[in-house]
Amino acid sequence: MPVIKYPRIRDPLFYEWDRKAQKSGLRHTIYAVNGDQYTGEWLDNLKHGKGTQIWKNTGAIYSGDWKFGKRDGYGSYSIPDPVTKEYKRVYTGWWENDRRGGRGMLFYPNGECYEGEWSNGLRSGWGKMQYKDGSVYEGQWLADQHNGQGVLRLPNGNRYEGGWKDGKKHGPGKYFYQDKGQQLEGIWVADIPKCGVLVDFSRDSAPAPPQYPLPAIELHDPAGVLAEARAMFDDSHN
């Protein structure tokens, strides 16, 4: 009796090709269609683990942690200088869902620098910002604006300590005029002092004190005036 041989059933070739194309584990450099390149770890065909990505169009490079195809964890992002072509660090710190999230340091093109907390790619939480003019703000942030309690130090030594809202002085605060040897304690609304008490302090050592000292306040209790103003401010914002 003749033996009939049936051809073995095989999956179409593209199934095998697809399985071979799936990337998992550590791989050498993989080039995307647009010229971007990635070297590092994969999981289920997604960048996952430690890896380095280079974008062809900008030359930018990210080296750090990945999670299911997105920057997530600790990593550093740099771009090449347009003149020297040397890489300049832009951000080093934590990422969440492909955005800056957690604690990190950002270097701006104009020389400014922020070190602190981030959320959804924006400065949020506690952080310190060094501005180009020499001013330094350290305190609370929300959605890229000074918001909460913070201290702003100016290049001439003057400083403000107190409340902030939407990037402006807002609420109870103190402004120290180091150059004059005076202090203003009061209530600010949208960067404008609405009421307060101005007193001398360290006037003798101030570099540019006023010609005459401030007269002593005798008719009112400064502490009582400020307490009443704070109470009115709090009531209006509750």
Side-chain angles (χ1 to χ4, degrees):
M1 184 175 181
V3 177
I4 301 175
K5 295 184 178 180
Y6 294 96
R8 187 174 61 180
I9 300 176
R10 297 183 61 183
D11 292 334
L13 285 176
F14 65 83
Y15 284 167
E16 184 177 352
W17 295 339
D18 185 64
R19 280 194 296 269
K20 291 182 178 179
Q22 295 296 311
K23 296 176 283 292
S24 290
L26 180 63
R27 288 291 185 106
H28 295 298
T29 302
I30 302 295
Y31 292 87
V33 176
N34 62 2
D36 295 347
Q37 53 182 288
Y38 172 82
T39 305
E41 297 177 303
W42 297 78
L43 179 64
D44 295 334
N45 212 36
L46 294 173
K47 302 162 192 169
H48 191 88
K50 301 289 185 181
T52 299
Q53 168 97 10
I54 301 177
W55 287 266
K56 181 180 179 180
N57 288 340
T58 62
I61 181 171
Y62 169 82
S63 182
D65 296 324
W66 296 79
K67 187 176 181 180
F68 301 118
K70 296 181 178 181
R71 291 169 291 187
D72 200 296
Y74 190 85
S76 180
Y77 179 80
S78 303
I79 59 173
D81 185 276
V83 178
T84 64
K85 304 303 180 183
E86 294 182 357
Y87 274 94
K88 298 173 61 177
R89 183 174 49 173
V90 175
Y91 176 78
T92 298
W94 293 91
W95 301 73
E96 293 177 355
N97 197 30
D98 220 31
R99 295 182 176 182
R100 292 185 289 269
R103 189 166 185 86
M105 181 180 292
L106 179 69
F107 300 89
Y108 294 84
N110 62 358
E112 297 180 345
C113 175
Y114 171 82
E115 182 178 8
E117 296 175 308
W118 299 81
S119 179
N120 293 322
L122 302 176
R123 292 167 291 184
S124 292
W126 189 270
K128 181 179 181 180
M129 182 77 186
Q130 298 183 16
Y131 293 96
K132 186 177 181 180
D133 65 356
S135 301
V136 177
Y137 171 82
E138 185 171 4
Q140 294 175 304
W141 295 75
L142 180 64
D144 257 356
Q145 299 279 2
H146 308 165
N147 216 95
Q149 295 294 309
V151 178
L152 176 66
R153 295 180 174 85
L154 302 178
N156 62 2
N158 295 350
R159 74 180 188 274
Y160 169 81
E161 301 177 1
W164 297 82
K165 183 179 180 182
D166 299 330
K168 297 180 179 180
K169 305 176 192 69
H170 195 84
K174 297 179 181 180
Y175 197 103
F176 297 87
Y177 298 90
Q178 300 286 359
D179 54 342
K180 297 180 180 180
Q182 294 180 332
Q183 171 192 311
L184 174 62
E185 182 176 0
I187 305 295
W188 273 257
V189 176
D191 250 359
I192 300 174
K194 292 296 184 178
C195 68
V197 176
L198 183 66
V199 297
D200 287 327
F201 82 100
S202 302
R203 187 173 181 276
D204 295 337
S205 60
Q211 184 177 1
Y212 302 104
L214 292 170
I217 299 176
E218 299 178 354
L219 298 178
H220 302 288
D221 174 19
V225 172
L226 290 175
E228 183 178 352
R230 289 194 189 97
M232 293 176 62
F233 178 85
D234 293 339
D235 292 340
S236 63
H237 287 77
N238 287 336

